[in-house]
Amino acid sequence: MIDSHCHLDHEPLFKDIENVIIRSKNVGIKKILTICTTLKSFENIIKLIEHDDIIFGTFGIHPHETETNNITSEKIQIEVNKYQKIIGIGETGLDFYYDHSDRKAQIKSFQEHITAARNLKIPLIIHSRSAEDEMFQILKEYKNENLKILMHCFTGSKNFAEKLLDYNTYFSASGIITFKNSIELQKTFSFIPIDRLLIETDSPFLAPEPNRGKKNEPSFVKFTAEKLAYLKKISFEDIVEKTSSNFNRLFK
């Protein structure tokens, strides 16, 4: 298995990283992608990718943090090029649900990340909440740029997913698909082609059933994989093979 999106720099994971990694390996996790959200968090991302062979990282500014973390595409490219194990740009995107940062600042930051991902030819990891129309309008401007797009913790509509499939987009399922009230999202993941699917925890957030309410960690990704296998009507072993292959193809 591969946890394609987590936050190992967040507590309680960071202080317990040795045990977190042991538990991850014990359930069969081969790679973990830990995601950058601020300039400060990147300092710990660097420590983490050097800590264990299975840990890889990204560089990016979360949409909540765009007002206090100004970034340019040039700065992103410089930082990514320093480290072989930094393999993606993000997470970036738009969050018009919480609006923790000004919307114009979010859009500008998102566009800087897109430019960097295009120039570096590595995946763009997108956070999108309550901003489907705005997100799609921005991505339309780059349709011919051959972007590699990963919609992390996808909770969007089936219509949004269908439109994004034409943009070389992959979709990551989080523990939310295990929640009893996520019927529409489960239908959407049933619809998305299996060669476009990844799995993630977004830990320490969004622990899947049967651990909902607990602090999440990468080893819990197995519960999301089990649910996704059920939705796609294939075996657990097949969903692990497919999602891992998809990750490796996307991130090379």
Side-chain angles (χ1 to χ4, degrees):
M1 287 179 289
I2 297 175
D3 184 355
S4 68
H5 192 112
C6 65
H7 300 278
L8 295 180
D9 63 304
H10 286 39
E11 299 299 357
L13 302 180
F14 191 67
K15 66 183 179 183
D16 192 35
I17 191 63
E18 291 291 349
N19 290 320
V20 168
I21 296 304
I22 289 171
R23 290 192 291 269
S24 297
K25 291 179 179 179
N26 284 345
V27 300
I29 290 177
K30 302 301 183 185
K31 295 187 181 78
I32 296 173
L33 186 58
T34 188
I35 306 297
C36 181
T37 56
T38 65
L39 295 172
K40 181 66 176 177
S41 81
F42 191 59
E43 297 173 11
N44 284 335
I45 299 293
I46 298 309
K47 295 176 184 177
L48 287 161
I49 63 175
E50 295 172 348
H51 181 80
D52 196 283
D53 288 344
I54 73 169
I55 303 175
F56 295 81
T58 69
F59 181 83
I61 306 300
H62 192 286
H64 289 341
E65 310 291 344
T66 54
E67 287 189 68
T68 54
N69 290 261
N70 292 324
I71 202 72
T72 64
S73 60
E74 291 82 4
K75 169 68 173 176
I76 297 170
Q77 291 171 74
I78 289 170
E79 292 301 321
V80 172
N81 280 327
K82 289 179 183 178
Y83 306 96
Q84 187 177 4
K85 291 182 74 181
I86 297 299
I87 60 174
I89 303 295
E91 68 186 279
T92 181
L94 305 175
D95 193 316
F96 292 173
Y97 181 82
Y98 286 109
D99 276 331
H100 287 330
S101 288
D102 176 77
R103 293 187 177 188
K104 289 183 179 178
Q106 291 187 48
I107 291 170
K108 183 179 185 301
S109 179
F110 184 38
Q111 290 170 327
E112 295 290 341
H113 285 76
I114 292 173
T115 298
R118 178 195 65 192
N119 292 345
L120 292 169
K121 295 180 173 59
I122 61 175
L124 180 72
I125 298 153
I126 295 179
H127 170 113
S128 176
R129 189 163 187 191
S130 299
E132 289 189 1
D133 291 342
E134 295 86 352
M135 174 71 65
F136 189 67
Q137 288 305 312
I138 292 171
L139 291 177
K140 276 178 65 176
E141 299 174 15
Y142 299 87
K143 186 172 184 180
N144 297 322
E145 300 288 348
N146 296 316
L147 293 175
K148 299 178 179 180
I149 298 171
L150 173 56
M151 301 300 295
H152 118 80
C153 189
F154 187 71
T155 55
S157 66
K158 179 183 175 182
N159 179 58
F160 189 36
E162 192 167 12
K163 291 193 293 185
L164 288 173
L165 284 170
D166 290 334
Y167 286 69
N168 194 32
T169 302
Y170 290 71
F171 302 82
S172 184
S174 71
I176 295 175
I177 68 166
T178 71
F179 298 172
K180 294 177 181 177
N181 63 350
S182 66
I183 303 302
E184 289 304 313
L185 183 62
Q186 291 172 15
K187 291 179 181 177
T188 298
F189 272 95
S190 297
F191 157 77
I192 297 171
I194 197 167
D195 64 352
R196 298 292 187 89
L197 295 178
L198 278 67
I199 51 175
E200 67 166 270
T201 58
D202 202 17
S203 52
F205 315 107
L206 300 175
E209 298 287 357
N211 293 324
R212 190 172 181 183
K214 298 179 181 179
K215 285 294 183 181
N216 202 4
E217 63 172 73
S219 64
F220 293 174
V221 78
K222 66 179 181 179
F223 299 112
T224 299
E226 288 171 351
K227 184 66 175 185
L228 190 58
Y230 171 80
L231 294 175
K232 303 304 286 185
K233 297 181 173 59
I234 63 174
S235 69
F236 174 78
E237 291 76 16
D238 281 347
I239 204 69
V240 169
E241 190 280 325
K242 292 291 187 183
T243 54
S244 297
S245 176
N246 293 343
F247 178 95
N248 291 327
R249 183 172 62 253
L250 177 61
F251 288 95
K252 294 188 176 179

